[in-house]
Amino acid sequence: MPTPPRLTDRHALTLHRARARDDAALFLHETARDDAKDRLQMVNRSFTDVAIVTPFPRIWQPAFPTARCIPDDEVLAVEEGSCDLVIHGLCLHWADDPVGQMIQCRRALRPDGLCLVLTLGGQTLHQLRAALRQAESELTGGLSPRVAPMGEIRDLGALLQRAGFALPVADSDPLTASYATPLHLMRELRAMGESNALAARLRRPTRRAVLLRAAELYTQAFGSVDGRVPATFEIITLTGWAPDDSQPKPLRPGSAAQRLSDALGTAETPLND
């Protein structure tokens, strides 16, 4: 198989995450953790062998004290068929091979095991991305990679099927945070460990003029009446099950015993070929 393109500078990402010592800045991981726990409470099943893929085990471990927390390395440190639950916790957007990550999660599951993936979606930081694009284009005449690409819900949902999961479900939960200025948002992204770690990024500091112009454009386009600015974070949740014969199967096309028009009490209008 061809090697996937190198998206992330893993060394830079590791250094950025090591600076994320303020747990208050990791509110997105706390939100994902709490959402995962709420969803699992609605599943009528007990899980005994749990693996959590996360760069911040200190956020997840207290809520899942018996789980094994493993880093989001290219090769996940989990044995095949060793789990009945795998949670991939808000780090898929940095994966060079997201399909490979999903396949590894499926292989780690026993039949009818559950995989729960929480990841940042395509609407995340759309305000900041737009402001940076315009500012850099105006002042430098070009664009450089600054924000990790994040998939849309339809594309991310398709990953479950490509990885071989059964009963796939994807849903989105946009969150809006408020900051005093766009520069405060940029500082918090650094505190989150989410600074630019793209392999193709510029290897020199961004010009101050570009940052100030981006902040100005951001405030003009998105600022609120109280002077603060919003930032969107979209958390997409993917749910899939390792295939098992006990799971419900879709009916074969054409096997229905009753027409939908009869059930709805309406007339059926054939389509022209």
Side-chain angles (χ1 to χ4, degrees), residues 126-128 130-132 134-135 138 179-183 186 209-230:
H126 69 86
Q127 303 97 331
L128 179 61
L132 284 170
Q134 184 174 341
E138 287 180 5
Y179 294 90
T181 70
L183 296 178
M186 296 178 197
V210 172
L211 295 178
L212 292 178
R213 177 57 176 156
E216 180 184 16
L217 292 168
Y218 196 129
T219 302
Q220 289 174 355
F222 305 106
S224 58
V225 293
D226 62 0
R228 297 178 68 84
V229 295

Side-chain angles (χ1 to χ4, degrees), residues 63 81 136 143 202:
E136 190 171 23
L143 295 175
L202 290 177

Side-chain angles (χ1 to χ4, degrees), residues 146-163:
R146 294 188 176 276
V147 179
M150 303 170 204
E152 300 296 334
I153 187 169
R154 178 177 298 180
D155 300 325
L156 291 170
L159 293 183
L160 291 168
Q161 294 176 312
R162 291 181 62 187

Side-chain angles (χ1 to χ4, degrees), residues 196-271:
N196 189 353
L198 294 172
R201 72 190 186 282
L202 290 177
R203 300 308 174 101
R204 60 177 183 273
T206 300
R207 290 167 49 184
R208 179 177 175 82
V210 172
L211 295 178
L212 292 178
R213 177 57 176 156
E216 180 184 16
L217 292 168
Y218 196 129
T219 302
Q220 289 174 355
F222 305 106
S224 58
V225 293
D226 62 0
R228 297 178 68 84
V229 295
T232 297
F233 298 95
E234 181 186 24
I235 297 180
I236 292 178
T237 303
L238 310 175
T239 306
W241 296 82
D244 186 71
D245 291 339
S246 66
Q247 294 165 348
K249 303 293 191 298
L251 294 175
R252 179 175 54 83
S255 63
Q258 184 179 8
R259 291 180 179 275
L260 180 61
S261 59
D262 295 338
L264 297 177
T266 61
E268 180 178 6
T269 303
L271 296 175

